[in-house]
Amino acid sequence: MSPRSLIALAGTAALLVSCGNKNEGPPLASHAPKSNSESEGIYWQAKKADDAGDREKAIKLYDEAADRSVYAQNSAQARFRQAQLLEQKGDLVNAFKAYQQFVVGYQGSGLYTKALERQVVIADSAANGVIKTSFLGLKSGLSREKVVEMLEEVRNNAPKSAVAAHAQLSLGQLYEKQKKDKEAIEAYKKVVSDYQDRSEAAEAQFRVARVYINQAERGNQNQATINLAREALQDYLNQYPNHHRAGEARRLMADLGGRSVQRSFDVAEFYLKTKEYESAKVYYREVVKRAGGNPLGQKAKSRLAELGEH
């Protein structure tokens, strides 16, 4: 399932959830354990407040009902509805926590997949800086550590699923945005190794190359970085030749080839200036071999002639 599909499904989750028919009454609890019957009673109070539009009271009572007993008939529904109402309120951090409590406590529930989907949407919002730590208009975003924690929880809830692959890819994107290159590469490589058969793996492999290219563009022009970028692109093209970024990858490969030739020429020029002529010749020859009749190749050929090599 693609990230777009996950978000689309998640967007319908709230519409598909019902808190029960308004004509229902609370179940008879004469033979239930006390904690269960208390939980059910609190649930129906929460349901009444919810139906009346008293969201704050409903959130508090749903939380209390779910805390009272995980075995009560409506405990799962109470926790899920609490999370829903928190999300509708815009309290996304606490909504995520409530969905997490649901996912941990009610894995057999029919609402389990919907809870996971809502977590993906919230975690993505956090990674994109949408969620703020204040609901009073302040502009302080969540810390990177908190966002990482949220994405890791999503991934670990269903470690072999499309949701997990998406969360792991989002981790890499988060690190990439913050120029945490080592962490980004590690996160992307984990997508490739752990989710080989999912579409996120191809995207992650491409992004590994892009991180190396960005390093080069920020000034880290040593040959090792360029070589790593080229290797990552080649791996991508070998494994995913029909992926939608393949054309872009081929263009980047050609560009990296040009950068490599330019670097060899620059090294040759350095040796020429320092009068280390034999070393200069080695690099000029490499440029001629790789650039051929291109202007840089012709220039290198002229330098070799000046050095007495014909």
Side-chain angles (χ1 to χ4, degrees):
M1 186 183 299
S2 68
R4 181 176 295 178
S5 298
L6 281 171
I7 293 170
L9 282 172
T12 64
L15 299 175
L16 295 173
V17 176
S18 167
C19 290
N21 191 297
K22 291 187 177 181
N23 295 324
E24 290 179 2
L28 296 175
S30 56
H31 301 292
K34 184 178 181 181
S35 60
N36 287 5
S37 60
E38 288 175 345
S39 174
E40 288 298 298
I42 296 168
Y43 171 82
W44 289 103
Q45 292 177 45
K47 178 70 168 59
K48 183 178 179 180
D50 195 357
D51 291 343
D54 190 344
R55 185 167 60 191
E56 294 299 329
K57 183 176 180 180
I59 288 171
K60 181 179 178 181
L61 289 170
Y62 281 134
D63 184 33
E64 187 177 347
D67 280 346
R68 191 65 60 99
S69 174
V70 298
Y71 302 106
Q73 180 178 342
N74 287 301
S75 179
Q77 186 66 42
R79 182 66 74 198
F80 188 90
R81 185 59 180 159
Q82 176 206 3
Q84 258 192 326
L85 290 175
L86 285 166
E87 187 177 1
Q88 291 171 11
K89 176 185 173 184
D91 189 350
L92 299 183
V93 173
N94 285 318
F96 185 92
K97 291 178 182 177
Y99 282 126
Q100 181 65 17
Q101 288 177 294
F102 179 92
V103 166
V104 171
Y106 306 100
Q107 295 182 14
S109 170
L111 297 171
Y112 181 81
T113 298
K114 294 180 179 65
L116 283 177
E117 289 166 356
R118 295 315 304 167
Q119 282 194 305
V120 171
V121 173
I122 293 172
D124 277 349
S125 295
N128 291 322
V130 174
I131 298 179
K132 308 298 180 184
T133 54
S134 170
F135 296 96
L136 302 176
L138 301 180
K139 298 297 183 182
S140 55
L142 295 178
S143 68
R144 184 180 72 248
E145 290 74 17
K146 180 60 181 176
V147 179
V148 168
E149 178 187 328
M150 293 170 77
L151 289 168
E152 287 179 342
E153 284 186 340
V154 170
R155 179 196 64 199
N156 295 339
N157 284 335
K160 298 300 181 182
S161 68
V163 166
H166 180 74
Q168 184 64 34
L169 183 66
S170 294
L171 271 173
Q173 291 171 312
L174 173 66
Y175 286 128
E176 185 181 351
K177 286 177 185 175
Q178 298 181 341
K179 296 182 175 59
K180 299 287 183 180
D181 294 339
K182 180 181 177 182
E183 292 87 344
I185 289 169
E186 289 175 353
Y188 288 141
K189 286 185 174 180
K190 185 173 176 62
V191 178
V192 175
S193 64
D194 291 3
Y195 308 101
Q196 299 175 29
D197 298 329
R198 299 195 180 276
S199 61
E200 288 83 0
E203 181 68 20
Q205 182 61 45
F206 178 84
R207 285 175 178 268
V208 169
R210 196 172 71 177
V211 171
Y212 286 126
I213 291 169
N214 288 340
Q215 283 184 339
E217 290 177 345
R218 291 199 299 268
N220 186 8
Q221 287 280 359
N222 71 64
Q223 191 61 44
T225 301
I226 294 173
N227 288 343
L228 287 168
R230 185 184 294 108
E231 289 170 11
L233 284 171
Q234 192 60 63
D235 286 345
Y236 165 81
L237 289 169
N238 289 342
Q239 295 177 62
Y240 313 104
N242 299 317
H243 190 248
H244 69 92
R245 289 189 182 271
E248 184 179 355
R250 293 186 184 96
R251 290 192 295 274
L252 289 171
M253 284 280 282
D255 180 58
L256 287 174
R259 292 188 196 191
S260 182
V261 172
Q262 181 64 57
R263 175 170 170 76
S264 294
F265 184 84
D266 292 342
V267 171
E269 292 282 276
F270 169 79
Y271 283 130
L272 181 64
K273 289 177 181 178
T274 57
K275 299 183 180 181
E276 296 182 49
Y277 300 124
E278 292 306 313
S279 294
K281 287 179 183 180
V282 171
Y283 283 94
Y284 283 132
R285 291 186 199 117
E286 182 180 342
V287 174
V288 170
K289 180 179 178 181
R290 296 180 63 186
N294 291 342
L296 203 59
Q298 292 298 320
K299 195 171 183 180
K301 194 172 183 179
S302 296
R303 290 281 196 273
L304 286 170
E306 291 169 8
L307 292 170
E309 185 168 313
H310 300 285

